[in-house]
Amino acid sequence: MTKNKNVLSWVDEMVALTKPDNVVWIDGSDEQLEALTNESIAIGEMQRLNEEKLPGCLIHRTAINDVARVEHRTFICSTNEEDAGPTNNWWNPKEAYDKLGKLFDGSMKGRTMYVIPYSMGPIGSPFSKVGVEVTDSIYVVLNMDIMTRMGKDALKQLGDTSNDFVRGLHSKADIDEENRYICHFPEDNTIWSINSGYGGNVLLGKKCFALRIASYQGKNEGWLAEHMLILGIENPKGEVKYIAAAFPSACGKTNLAMLIPPEIYAQKGYKVWCVGDDIAWIRIGDDGRLWAINPENGFFGVAPGTNEKSNPNALASTKKNTIFTNVVHKLDDNTVWWEGLDKEPITNALNWKGEEWNSDMAEKGAHPNSRFTAPAINCPCISDEFNSPSGVPISAIVFGGRRAKTAPLVYQSYDWQHGVFVGSIMASETTAAASGEVGVVRRDPMAMLPFCGYHMGDYFKHWLEIGKKLGDKAPEIFNVNWFRLDDDGNFIWPGFGDNMRVLDWIIKRCEGKADAVETPIGYEPKPEDINIDGLDDVDLDIMKELLDVDVALWKEEAAGIHEFYKKFGDRLPSELMDELGKLEERLG
Ligand code: OXD
Ligand code: MN
């Protein structure tokens, strides 16, 4: 399928190591995928769902010890320990290759190796990058088909001589938890993943390549690989402005990316378009502005909680050609279910472990991290620019987390440098909503804590450098918090589609069409500048509460930031300490 000697010799090496019985190159054709689907069904790895209700859909169950990403077994194997930084697990590359080499030795005996060439980013885009993943899992092949542009075209994109491709080796081996490793070798463009079959650990194009390896490439090549959704807001005149937004895992990125504007906006003709829900690759364009693509081709979304109200667009995306993993299998009509889908009582079903289950049982039916892998083209609000080779121009960058009290609904940074500070102090709290208790703060700078492939101090520096290059073309930077609680532990802000009201202010700020007030933490809207027309539970007083900046809490916050920053030692850019100093000064 290719003449590229770099690819061929690397695949030969992997074959010699893992010793499969057969090697199959994935060309991406419908016939090949159909045959592989049938084979996967025949070996019991997948089952076909109801062809009328869910055409082309499949259900899969992972091993019960293998249901999520394993951060404690995820390593950055850089030559110097210091280069992985304090937020990553580091492993000496030679030792990692030795140890994993023994585990991979013969791990595909009796199995077939599938060679998957894929492109992250649209074929033909100068933003895009090619990877080759070899795996012994058909589940991986079929998921990669949805999540990436896979097959012959990706090899064409690479060309006959280039050596610039990410080498991904995956084997399920024995799904042995004790020997599960997800290792990244940024200096070698290489990822080795063994003993897992769970998406985030084995779909190597996603977190492993598009974030961990790509963030390292971006640092060296002058661009950014970010854990961000990208959405476009179309105004009634048909003009579209794009926002990129970073939130930690499980803070509603997919929901925001596919937001349905509230009635008062929809009536006027506002629309929201989804470009991506998880990852953005961002570069400075020829015009000096920031441009972003979504390197993925599908959504690997969390199923529980997805429903007609929370995210009708995501739900619609799962109605055909989708793979469901670890959800409830309803046997009567051969469809799927998960907690929060609807209130229908479920009988005659299998839970995510494959055991008989009904909704009267105390135990949950779907795993809380059960997933759908759905093609992006299924999404009713997918952007026309989704496949655009040049990406979309970014007007605003938004950071956010789950904070009970500290962070207001929205604020804007004073400038790019201050915005990098705002991103660097991003945090989420675990909240015990019922009792109103506030939990532990977990800092997650730019939502990249588990995904930055190098020292985060250098990552902050890279962000600051991008800002210097952008100058006055830099997008505005904001922070939002949809999760503010009242004293009884109830969410104050309705969230979901009503987040449009906040995005509206953000866009107006970018266009110089909205006022703001200066607070110690940044610019805030005047309470009356957030449109609350048609909202039953939010009045001006509540808006004031949502925007309140509690100086005592922020002083505590500043102390927490000092603690957190200590981790980065002398690799923390002095600009961020300056910003912390300025914040403390403004707090008085
Ligand atoms: C994801 C994650 O799966 O962030 O997107 O964990
Ligand atoms: Mn994510």
Side-chain angles (χ1 to χ4, degrees):
M1 229 164 72
T2 181
K3 294 199 199 80
N4 188 310
K5 292 210 174 67
N6 302 307
V7 174
L8 292 170
S9 66
W10 173 74
V11 171
D12 284 347
E13 242 180 81
M14 296 303 105
V15 169
L17 175 63
T18 59
K19 306 178 179 61
D21 287 8
N22 302 300
V23 178
V24 171
W25 286 71
I26 300 298
D27 60 19
S29 66
D30 289 347
E31 303 75 55
Q32 189 185 40
L33 289 167
E34 185 58 26
L36 284 174
T37 304
N38 289 335
E39 194 178 330
S40 173
I41 291 167
I43 59 174
E45 187 187 48
M46 300 263 205
Q47 278 169 275
R48 235 185 254 284
L49 292 163
N50 186 317
E51 268 304 323
E52 252 160 60
K53 293 185 177 171
L54 295 169
C57 292
L58 299 164
I59 183 168
H60 169 78
R61 286 190 285 270
T62 64
I64 55 174
N65 72 11
D66 188 28
V67 292
R69 287 187 289 105
V70 279
E71 285 176 21
H72 64 294
R73 306 202 71 100
T74 299
F75 293 85
I76 300 297
C77 308
S78 47
T79 307
N80 298 317
E81 179 166 6
E82 174 77 347
D83 291 340
T87 56
N88 282 312
N89 301 312
W90 174 79
W91 201 352
N92 174 312
K94 188 176 172 319
E95 282 173 24
Y97 279 131
D98 279 355
K99 166 84 185 181
L100 268 66
K102 291 195 184 92
L103 298 174
F104 275 113
D105 188 359
S107 68
M108 297 194 194
K109 265 189 201 152
R111 301 181 185 178
T112 298
M113 173 191 276
Y114 302 96
V115 182
I116 312 171
Y118 63 97
S119 168
M120 297 312 288
I123 299 286
S125 162
F127 280 72
S128 297
K129 285 192 175 272
V130 170
V132 181
E133 174 167 355
V134 297
T135 176
D136 51 9
S137 159
I138 302 179
Y139 173 77
V140 168
V141 176
L142 299 179
N143 274 271
M144 287 293 279
D145 176 48
I146 299 172
M147 295 305 295
T148 74
R149 282 90 172 168
M150 180 185 88
K152 272 188 192 147
D153 291 347
L155 284 174
K156 238 188 258 161
Q157 166 103 357
L158 181 67
D160 284 345
T161 55
S162 172
N163 196 21
D164 183 14
F165 67 98
V166 171
R167 295 140 166 80
L169 168 62
H170 165 249
S171 175
K172 294 179 288 189
D174 310 312
I175 312 287
D176 171 7
E177 245 179 314
E178 298 304 316
N179 280 307
R180 184 168 299 152
Y181 295 101
I182 322 297
C183 289
H184 305 72
F185 304 86
E187 293 151 18
D188 303 341
N189 253 355
T190 294
I191 306 156
W192 281 17
S193 163
I194 190 157
N195 277 307
S196 174
Y198 168 76
N201 301 325
V202 302
L203 307 179
L204 300 184
K206 193 175 176 66
K207 303 297 188 182
C208 299
F209 176 177
L211 288 176
R212 297 197 189 95
I213 297 286
S215 61
Y216 174 82
Q217 295 176 329
K219 177 193 67 148
N220 295 329
E221 297 166 12
W223 54 282
L224 295 165
E226 297 299 328
H227 193 197
M228 288 181 178
L229 65 93
I230 309 165
L231 63 80
I233 297 186
E234 181 176 333
N235 70 16
K237 285 190 254 166
E239 299 158 345
V240 188
K241 290 265 155 61
Y242 295 91
I243 294 177
F247 299 88
S249 304
C251 281
K253 277 211 305 297
T254 305
N255 291 349
L256 186 65
M258 300 178 189
L259 173 154
I260 294 192
E263 206 41 44
I264 61 146
Y265 282 91
Q267 272 167 5
K268 287 189 204 145
Y270 281 91
K271 293 184 182 118
V272 171
W273 302 107
C274 173
V275 182
D277 79 326
D278 195 41
I279 299 177
W281 284 0
I282 310 177
R283 287 171 197 261
I284 301 177
D286 294 339
D287 62 357
R289 291 188 295 167
L290 274 189
W291 289 73
I293 63 159
N294 169 13
E296 302 191 279
N297 201 25
F299 308 116
F300 184 62
V302 177
T306 305
N307 59 49
E308 264 314 329
K309 182 168 176 291
S310 67
N311 196 338
N313 285 320
L315 197 59
S317 307
T318 66
K319 294 297 179 196
K320 59 179 182 200
N321 304 330
T322 291
I323 298 172
F324 297 94
T325 302
N326 292 342
V327 299
V328 171
H329 190 183
K330 285 165 64 185
L331 299 176
D332 286 340
D333 65 351
N334 193 23
T335 60
V336 293
W337 187 87
W338 48 78
E339 277 70 20
L341 175 63
D342 54 36
K343 300 225 156 56
E344 186 192 333
I346 306 298
T347 53
N348 191 25
L350 301 178
N351 68 9
W352 69 274
K353 294 183 244 177
E355 302 159 345
E356 278 177 28
W357 184 85
N358 66 64
S359 50
D360 288 335
M361 292 178 165
E363 208 185 325
K364 286 195 160 72
H367 188 276
N369 192 37
S370 54
R371 298 278 175 153
F372 54 80
T373 318
I377 45 160
N378 284 2
C379 180
C381 65
I382 198 72
S383 164
D384 282 349
E385 302 299 320
F386 175 71
N387 280 312
S388 161
S390 52
V392 295
I394 297 299
S395 298
I397 289 175
V398 176
F399 297 119
R402 275 175 191 267
R403 301 303 301 263
K405 293 278 179 208
T406 317
L409 179 63
V410 58
Y411 67 99
Q412 180 186 3
S413 74
Y414 286 117
D415 51 32
W416 181 273
Q417 178 173 305
H418 180 224
V420 176
F421 170 76
V422 169
S424 79
I425 65 167
M426 254 175 72
S428 266
E429 288 154 22
T430 48
T431 54
S435 62
E437 275 168 18
V438 173
V440 203
V441 176
R442 187 200 193 224
R443 299 241 166 246
D444 187 353
M446 280 84 165
M448 282 291 278
L449 194 75
F451 305 120
C452 185
Y454 62 104
H455 195 298
M456 272 211 130
D458 296 346
Y459 169 80
F460 298 144
K461 183 160 163 257
H462 182 48
W463 264 81
L464 291 167
E465 277 162 7
I466 295 270
K468 283 185 200 128
K469 287 191 199 143
L470 286 165
D472 61 4
K473 300 254 175 66
E476 301 295 328
I477 300 182
F478 299 81
N479 192 86
V480 299
N481 177 25
W482 315 134
F483 302 97
R484 194 122 166 179
L485 300 182
D486 66 16
D487 292 335
D488 300 323
N490 304 308
F491 290 114
I492 314 179
W493 179 247
F496 299 105
D498 288 310
N499 293 335
M500 173 74 193
R501 300 164 188 274
V502 175
L503 300 183
D504 182 24
W505 182 77
I506 287 177
I507 294 294
K508 287 207 177 92
R509 282 296 290 168
C510 296
E511 294 174 336
K513 290 183 187 157
D515 260 351
V517 283
E518 258 182 58
T519 78
I521 63 168
Y523 295 116
E524 276 203 345
K526 293 192 201 150
E528 61 274 20
D529 281 351
I530 300 282
N531 182 348
I532 51 173
D533 283 0
L535 275 186
D536 293 335
D537 298 325
V538 182
D539 57 20
L540 214 53
D541 284 335
I542 290 183
M543 188 48 71
K544 282 183 193 149
E545 190 182 340
L546 281 162
L547 292 169
D548 177 55
V549 176
D550 182 326
V551 170
L553 273 183
W554 272 93
K555 285 186 176 168
E556 261 174 52
E557 182 75 358
I561 300 167
H562 273 288
E563 256 331 284
F564 178 62
Y565 273 181
K566 274 190 200 151
K567 269 190 187 195
F568 302 101
D570 59 8
R571 293 225 198 175
L572 183 86
S574 59
E575 289 91 334
L576 295 187
M577 278 311 277
D578 293 348
E579 288 298 331
L580 179 53
K582 285 195 258 176
L583 170 68
E584 287 177 310
E585 246 168 61
R586 292 190 298 259
L587 291 167

